């Protein structure tokens, strides 16, 4: 024990070790403990006590180092005059201007699922490329649900309105070319006859 140290910590979890001992061994263990913390350098022939006490001894050494560190720091602070005296509070000077009204907190931003996002885009532009819409969704997510404008990032408050304004600039899905109309000879002859009749 360090000089002027009159107490030690007895950690509660030591019970797990003591409960496994019979009463006689537990009594010897505590005698061994008390002799150690009183610098009597105890020794024992009981192997169980020697093994069980080793982690307790290491814990006591760690606690002692912490105590010595705090004690040294307290002495150094004492030499500097202890804690600084509390300063007197400044006298109130009164309000220079009227207090501003508290601003309302913005509503919590709603972030849709990818499925909702794509569905709304397709509703606004049926032939929009789903891949392009998906890329736009993850770009907004990566920007902390914000869009980039000339003056920087802006939080998206109404995603449906913002997407409606954005979707017209997104690519359209690939269009299949329309099949050419195949006209049979009979259909062509009938069409030419009708055209000739109508011209007189």
């Amino acid at each position: 024990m360090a000089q002027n140290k009159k107490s030690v910590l007895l950690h509660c979890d030591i019970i797990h070790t003591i409960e496994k001992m019979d009463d006689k061994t537990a009594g010897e263990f505590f005698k061994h403990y008390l002799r150690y913390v009183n610098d009597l350098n105890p020794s024992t022939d009981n192997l169980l006590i020697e093994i069980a006490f080793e982690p307790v001894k290491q814990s006591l050494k760690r606690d002692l180092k912490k105590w010595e560190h705090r004690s040294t720091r307290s002495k150094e602070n004492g030499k500097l005059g202890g804690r600084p005296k509390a300063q007197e509070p400044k006298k109130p000077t009164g309000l220079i201007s009227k207090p501003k009204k508290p601003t309302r907190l913005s509503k919590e931003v709603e972030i849709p699922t990818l499925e909702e996002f794509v569905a709304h885009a397709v509703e606004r532009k049926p032939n929009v490329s789903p891949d392009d819409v998906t890329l736009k969704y993850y770009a907004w997510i990566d920007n902390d649900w914000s869009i980039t404008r000339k003056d920087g990032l802006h939080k998206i408050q109404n995603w449906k309105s913002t997407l409606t304004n954005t979707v017209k600039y997104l690519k359209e899905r690939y269009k299949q070319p329309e099949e050419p109309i195949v006209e049979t000879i009979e259909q062509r002859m009938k069409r030419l006859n009708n055209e000739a009749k109508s011209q007189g």
Side-chain angles (χ1 to χ4, degrees), residues 87-93:
Q87 294 180 348
E88 290 185 10
K90 293 180 181 178
K91 291 181 180 179
T93 55

Side-chain angles (χ1 to χ4, degrees), residues 27-127:
E28 288 179 23
F29 180 89
F30 269 112
K31 278 188 177 181
H32 192 82
Y33 177 90
L34 292 170
R35 287 171 184 152
Y36 179 81
V37 296
N38 283 282
D39 296 326
L40 299 177
N41 300 320
S43 60
T44 179
D45 295 330
N46 190 325
L47 185 60
L48 177 61
I49 291 175
E50 187 176 346
I51 292 170
F53 188 69
E54 187 58 34
V56 175
K57 182 167 74 172
Q58 298 305 321
S59 178
L60 287 166
K61 285 182 177 179
R62 285 192 293 272
D63 291 342
L64 180 59
K65 283 182 182 177
K66 288 178 187 175
W67 181 84
E68 287 173 342
H69 177 70
R70 284 197 302 268
S71 178
T72 304
R73 195 170 55 190
S74 296
K75 285 177 184 176
E76 289 172 358
N77 288 339
K79 289 176 184 176
L80 296 173
R83 289 185 179 179
K85 292 180 181 178
Q87 294 180 348
E88 290 185 10
K90 293 180 181 178
K91 291 181 180 179
T93 55
L95 292 171
I96 297 172
S97 59
K98 290 182 180 179
K100 294 179 180 177
K101 290 182 179 179
T103 54
R104 288 184 181 179
L105 295 172
S106 61
K107 293 179 182 177
E108 190 173 337
V109 176
E110 177 196 358
I111 299 178
T113 63
L114 176 59
E115 290 74 18
E116 291 173 328
F117 192 82
V118 173
H120 183 75
V122 171
E123 186 183 322
R124 292 288 176 251
K125 185 177 180 180
N127 61 339

Side-chain angles (χ1 to χ4, degrees), residues 132-151:
D132 245 35
V133 177
T134 302
L135 288 173
K136 182 60 66 178
Y137 177 80
Y138 286 113
W140 290 2
I141 290 284
D142 290 343
N143 280 338
D144 195 23
W145 205 245
S146 302
I147 55 172
T148 307
R149 291 186 179 150
K150 289 181 181 178
D151 56 342

Side-chain angles (χ1 to χ4, degrees), residues 129-183:
S129 167
D131 292 339
D132 245 35
V133 177
T134 302
L135 288 173
K136 182 60 66 178
Y137 177 80
Y138 286 113
W140 290 2
I141 290 284
D142 290 343
N143 280 338
D144 195 23
W145 205 245
S146 302
I147 55 172
T148 307
R149 291 186 179 150
K150 289 181 181 178
D151 56 342
L153 287 175
H154 290 263
K155 278 280 186 187
I156 298 167
Q157 299 296 332
N158 185 334
W159 69 269
K160 286 186 177 180
S161 174
T162 307
L163 182 56
T164 299
N165 293 330
T166 304
V167 76
K168 54 190 169 189
Y169 301 108
L170 299 180
K171 291 179 184 176
E172 296 178 1
R173 72 178 72 183
Y174 177 72
K175 291 182 180 178
Q176 294 287 345
E178 293 181 4
E179 295 269 340
I181 298 171
V182 179
E183 193 176 36

